[in-house]
Amino acid sequence: MPIDIMEYARRTPGITLLHPEEQMFDEMLLGWRRQQLARNLSINTIDGREKAVRRFMKSTNTYPWLWTLEQVDEFFGDRREIHGNQRTTVRSYQDALKLFTDYICSPAYAWAERCTDLFGTHPVRVIHQWNMARHIQEAEHGGRRRPFRHAELQLFFDRADDEADIIARRGRKGWAAAFRDSTLFKLAYCFGLRRNEIRHLETFDFSRNPHAPEFGKYGHLNVRFGKAMRGSDYKQRNVLAVFPWGSDILAEWIERGLPLFGPQTALFPTERNTLVSESALNDRFRTYRDDLGLGTELKFHSFRHSYITHLIEAGFDPLFVQQQVGHEYASTTALYTGVSSNYRIKTLRDALDGTIGQALKLGVEN
């Protein structure tokens, strides 16, 4: 059974700890980690929260039983003004700090008593709802993202294909990686996938859809690494193929490209048999985007935005689209939708024509 060093020192006369502050802080974090594990939260969530708390401690250069409201305001002011953190980043830091201080201030865990015995003071809750950033909408990118237009999407895919062809003609190293990323970009749009979702795909994640045989072996996709919700583990979902050309792209990659990386089940590996990294995908994406002059408001996530928008424009049922992309609420899907002006005009015209036609019919009958 592990020994609680702080408790042992407190109960044993003559025992003096060399660095009681550091040991107390580490024990607080360890206890908080165990509490979160007991709640079945994901390891990634727990690690991220601990890093945020350690970053705050390092910035203030004080321990939790000495934290103040002024330090909180200064830290998050710097995160916004100096570091340029996004709203979502700031709020995630604040959530982590609030959860940690709630834990160490809870009477159930007696951290306040132990701090008072050793340091003559105790932690207090320094972050509350009134000094935290409010979460008032699900998408907080501030209008700096948008979906691809159809023509832009075709230009981007052509640029990705050209890169692989140029490298192959010149006999340079990197053709397989360029071919891989070109396929990956197209499939991210074809199935409305996030970066982490498509990185983790394996060949056995695809199967036939008996109700849509025209897609062959690739009519159904099991997404196993969907975005986690509220600290839970990855959320799985099933996605049905809707673009027939996606099956041809997948078949070509699996037959011609994937064997170049050796025998394995990962769909998009690297030469070192690891998963392709998000940073590498971002770099490649930005290179093609900037070469085409498409604008920085287009991000990798714009493939997903475009998938949602284009399906809605094509007349797919909004509930079907919501289930395809794994959104819990229809309002989230609506935030991702950026239908074109032509589509909106057509929708209005159809509605007006239907209304006028109905009125004329009623007038004739009367």
Side-chain angles (χ1 to χ4, degrees):
M1 182 176 179
I3 299 175
D4 188 331
I5 299 298
M6 299 296 294
E7 184 66 17
Y8 178 74
R10 188 171 69 87
R11 294 178 178 272
T12 306
I15 296 294
T16 303
L17 296 172
L18 294 177
H19 303 287
E21 295 87 355
E22 293 180 14
Q23 290 172 306
M24 178 66 80
F25 181 56
D26 288 341
E27 284 196 24
M28 285 176 167
L29 287 174
L30 178 61
W32 187 41
R33 184 179 190 84
R34 288 170 176 166
Q35 182 222 42
Q36 294 177 92
L37 287 170
R39 293 167 52 204
N40 204 30
L41 301 186
S42 71
I43 300 297
N44 288 340
T45 296
I46 297 171
D47 289 344
R49 289 174 176 176
E50 181 176 330
K51 288 179 182 178
V53 171
R54 287 189 179 277
R55 185 173 287 116
F56 179 79
M57 192 278 289
K58 184 177 180 180
S59 175
T60 61
N61 199 31
T62 55
Y63 290 98
W65 47 93
L66 297 173
W67 288 347
T68 66
L69 292 170
E70 289 78 9
Q71 289 173 330
V72 171
D73 292 342
E74 181 180 359
F75 175 79
F76 288 112
D78 288 346
R79 299 313 302 182
R80 289 296 308 281
E81 188 172 13
I82 297 176
H83 298 279
N85 289 158
Q86 299 293 323
R87 294 181 179 90
T88 51
T89 302
V90 170
R91 200 177 60 255
S92 69
Y93 285 168
Q94 291 176 342
D95 288 341
L97 191 61
K98 183 179 186 303
L99 290 168
F100 177 67
T101 55
D102 286 347
Y103 164 74
I104 61 177
C105 291
S106 171
Y109 295 100
W111 290 109
E113 296 176 11
R114 298 174 66 180
C115 288
T116 300
D117 288 347
L118 280 170
F119 311 119
T121 187
H122 59 82
V124 297
R125 290 179 172 85
V126 292
I127 187 162
H128 309 267
Q129 293 300 324
W130 46 263
N131 66 343
M132 293 177 64
R134 293 178 59 198
H135 187 191
I136 57 176
Q137 59 183 28
E138 301 222 24
E140 297 182 305
H141 48 73
R144 290 183 292 276
R145 296 179 189 171
R146 66 171 178 86
F148 283 89
R149 301 180 183 91
H150 287 280
E152 292 173 333
L153 198 63
Q154 187 61 57
L155 282 174
F156 188 95
F157 290 157
D158 289 344
R159 173 66 181 84
D161 289 340
D162 290 343
E163 181 75 8
D165 291 342
I166 290 171
I167 294 174
R169 287 198 302 269
R170 294 177 178 176
R172 290 166 43 200
K173 183 179 179 181
W175 171 79
F179 184 16
R180 175 200 64 204
D181 293 350
S182 175
T183 305
L184 186 150
F185 290 146
K186 294 171 187 174
L187 291 181
Y189 167 74
C190 190
F191 288 94
L193 302 178
R194 302 177 178 93
R195 272 173 313 202
N196 199 51
E197 293 172 348
I198 197 165
R199 286 176 58 241
H200 283 90
L201 288 187
E202 301 196 46
T203 53
F204 55 75
D205 289 326
F206 291 92
S207 60
R208 295 180 183 274
N209 179 357
H211 302 289
E214 61 267 33
F215 294 104
K217 296 183 292 184
Y218 309 111
H220 171 269
L221 170 61
N222 178 31
V223 178
R224 294 176 294 112
F225 286 83
K227 185 178 180 181
M229 298 293 292
R230 301 183 183 91
S232 65
D233 207 348
Y234 292 110
K235 182 180 178 181
Q236 295 194 46
R237 74 176 185 277
N238 296 314
V239 183
L240 302 179
V242 295
F243 299 122
W245 52 265
S247 297
D248 296 334
I249 290 171
L250 260 170
E252 182 183 18
W253 167 247
I254 291 175
E255 293 170 8
R256 292 184 55 214
L258 191 56
L260 300 173
F261 294 87
Q264 57 188 294
T265 60
L267 189 61
F268 297 113
T270 68
E271 293 83 354
R272 298 183 299 277
N273 290 327
T274 60
L275 297 179
V276 60
S277 69
E278 292 191 22
S279 60
L281 293 176
N282 287 339
D283 289 343
R284 176 95 69 176
F285 179 90
R286 284 193 292 264
T287 297
Y288 296 166
R289 179 199 65 193
D290 295 346
D291 286 350
L292 295 169
L294 293 180
T296 57
E297 69 274 11
L298 289 172
K299 314 289 184 183
F300 188 102
H301 207 65
S302 295
F303 291 132
R304 183 171 165 87
H305 284 221
S306 305
Y307 175 83
I308 296 171
T309 297
H310 296 167
L311 288 190
I312 294 295
E313 288 183 341
F316 281 80
D317 183 81
L319 178 59
F320 173 82
V321 178
Q322 177 188 341
Q323 294 172 339
Q324 287 280 97
V325 295
H327 284 158
E328 191 170 356
Y329 303 105
S331 58
T332 307
T333 307
L335 287 170
Y336 275 69
T337 304
V339 295
S340 66
S341 297
N342 288 339
Y343 173 80
R344 296 173 66 189
I345 292 170
K346 181 179 182 300
T347 300
L348 175 62
R349 188 69 265 160
D350 290 345
L352 290 174
D353 290 344
T355 302
I356 294 171
Q358 185 67 21
L360 292 174
K361 180 180 178 181
L362 289 174
V364 170
E365 292 176 350
N366 293 333

